[in-house]
Amino acid sequence: MPALRRIAVTLLAATAVTGTTLATAGTASAADYRCTTSSSKSFDDPSYNGPDSDNWSFKVQLCAKRSGGYIYTTATVYWDGPYSDNTNNSFTFNKARFHLETKRSTTGTDPVTKAANYTGLEHALENSSAAGNGSYKTGTLKYRAGAGRYLADGYIQLDWSGDGKDYKAPILFTASPTV
């Protein structure tokens, strides 16, 4: 009898391990983000005419993934700015934002299904590293996916302090691959 009991306990343990392995396999294979990174040209601060460099260059990584019936989109902005030690200040921009969009991929213009403005970009830009570099990650947009393919798209808008104008034309980047 003890041998039969040991076999039963062993079979139950094996079944439990197999069930756990099968149950966790779904989360291990969750879809990864698909991303595209593209760069902008250099942008000159129109309110500064001094001898020091005042140009900003941007690179943006736009990412999208499909998981559990939803589309998730996010972006990370990287920059190389003109700051050096002790020159960071809050007077460079009146406003700065990253506009993130979730789009459904179609023939022609892709319709926006969800969008958000991330205004924390201004603070991040004005508090760059001592070398003038930095990065800013947006939040994540979550959209209930229908049939079809989706992608992440977005752009930067800057309102330079001291130029007397509002946001300049959007700084565009390459959209993510479709998911």
Side-chain angles (χ1 to χ4, degrees):
M1 239 354 154
L4 186 55
R5 192 174 289 162
R6 244 183 306 183
I7 292 172
V9 169
T10 304
L11 286 174
L12 283 172
T15 302
V17 168
T18 303
T20 302
T21 303
L22 292 175
T24 59
T27 56
S29 64
D32 289 330
Y33 277 102
R34 300 201 50 213
C35 302
T36 298
T37 302
S38 62
S39 299
S40 73
K41 63 181 184 175
S42 181
F43 290 88
D44 182 61
D45 180 346
S47 66
Y48 178 77
N49 292 320
D52 296 325
S53 172
D54 63 340
N55 291 350
W56 294 76
S57 298
F58 298 98
K59 183 168 60 171
V60 170
Q61 183 179 55
L62 285 157
C63 301
K65 80 174 179 177
R66 180 185 295 261
S67 179
Y70 289 91
I71 302 299
Y72 297 89
T73 56
T74 188
T76 304
V77 180
Y78 304 92
W79 62 87
D80 183 10
Y83 289 141
S84 59
D85 281 335
N86 302 320
T87 61
N88 292 2
N89 66 62
S90 60
F91 304 113
T92 305
F93 302 101
N94 288 328
K95 301 179 280 190
R97 68 181 176 196
F98 189 85
H99 181 79
L100 178 62
E101 299 175 330
T102 302
K103 292 182 173 181
R104 190 169 53 83
S105 181
T106 63
T107 302
T109 303
D110 296 330
V112 176
T113 58
K114 191 164 188 173
N117 288 314
Y118 293 93
T119 57
L121 179 60
E122 177 188 358
H123 181 266
L125 289 169
E126 291 177 336
N127 291 281
S128 299
S129 73
N133 302 322
S135 65
Y136 173 77
K137 186 166 177 58
T138 68
T140 301
L141 296 180
K142 179 180 177 182
Y143 178 75
R144 170 69 90 186
R149 314 274 297 158
Y150 292 82
L151 56 95
D153 203 356
Y155 53 84
I156 292 173
Q157 283 191 292
L158 304 173
D159 175 6
W160 299 93
S161 185
D163 72 349
K165 299 177 182 174
D166 200 13
Y167 282 123
K168 299 283 188 246
I171 301 169
L172 305 175
F173 298 90
T174 305
S176 74
T178 58
V179 293

